[in-house]
Amino acid sequence: MTPRAVLVGPMGAGKTTVARLLASHWGIEARDTDADIEATDGRSVSDIFLESGEEHFRALERAAVAAALASHDGVLALGGGAVLDSGTRELLADHRVVFLRVGLADAVKRVGLGTSRPLLLGNVRSRIKALLDERTPIYESVATISVDTDQRSPEDVAEAIREALHE
């Protein structure tokens, strides 16, 4: 069993929304590893970060991604930082991975400046820029295909993914 597609990208790229659209179109389930973590831990991602730290969250994330890759045959959306783990990157090597590319302006608009995301405490715009600069080469390295999301609706992005995957 393997996911039909695995979506990766930074916060604000639309991974969860696009995963749901693809899954609906294909008649399969969508799954989000951040939601899996929250269900397992009983706390929001923000609370896990703030109360237990990023290292604890990343351990939960590593386990959630491995479990989902092994057991889910629908569309899987990974948290923005999941690809930072080398073991996760190795697991993704055998999957169809779609990098949802988003530029700084669109990411800031989508995430919002009054965000509750723990990695964005402080200057939201500069934090998003730093995360994009740091992570984009990693997303590109694991991706089978890349799809630009800037100034596109989630429906347009899902359509572009279906075309790129020839489905």
Side-chain angles (χ1 to χ4, degrees):
M1 185 176 302
T2 187
R4 185 124 169 217
V6 180
L7 307 185
V8 300
M11 60 185 82
K15 298 177 298 289
T16 301
T17 301
V18 172
R20 287 187 191 124
L21 289 169
L22 287 170
S24 175
H25 180 82
W26 288 329
I28 55 181
E29 294 288 319
R31 186 166 167 182
D32 182 306
T33 57
D34 280 351
D36 290 353
I37 293 164
E38 290 178 341
T40 300
D41 193 80
R43 295 180 289 172
S44 70
V45 168
S46 293
D47 286 347
I48 296 168
F49 258 85
L50 296 173
E51 295 167 10
S52 302
E54 183 174 1
E55 189 175 324
H56 177 73
F57 172 78
R58 295 297 175 204
L60 295 173
E61 182 174 55
R62 189 169 30 259
V65 171
L69 289 172
S71 67
H72 183 64
D73 61 358
V75 181
L76 182 62
L78 302 190
V83 298
L84 298 176
D85 181 76
S86 61
T88 295
R89 290 194 302 272
E90 287 175 24
L91 291 175
L92 289 172
D94 297 329
H95 296 278
R96 295 197 312 181
V97 179
V98 180
F99 168 33
L100 299 186
R101 184 184 305 276
V102 63
L104 178 61
D106 277 41
V108 170
K109 270 188 263 175
R110 294 175 190 170
V111 171
L113 295 175
T115 184
S116 64
R117 296 175 189 251
L119 284 179
L120 297 184
L121 296 175
N123 183 329
V124 173
R125 188 177 181 82
S126 69
R127 285 296 297 141
I128 290 176
K129 181 181 184 331
L131 290 171
L132 290 174
D133 290 348
E134 170 194 351
R135 295 178 179 178
T136 295
I138 301 170
Y139 296 132
E140 290 170 340
S141 75
V142 300
T144 309
I145 63 167
S146 296
V147 175
D148 287 317
T149 67
D150 284 356
Q151 299 174 17
R152 294 174 92 172
S153 70
E155 293 78 12
D156 287 345
V157 172
E159 174 70 21
I161 292 168
R162 289 195 306 271
E163 288 175 10
L165 294 176
H166 308 293
E167 298 197 15

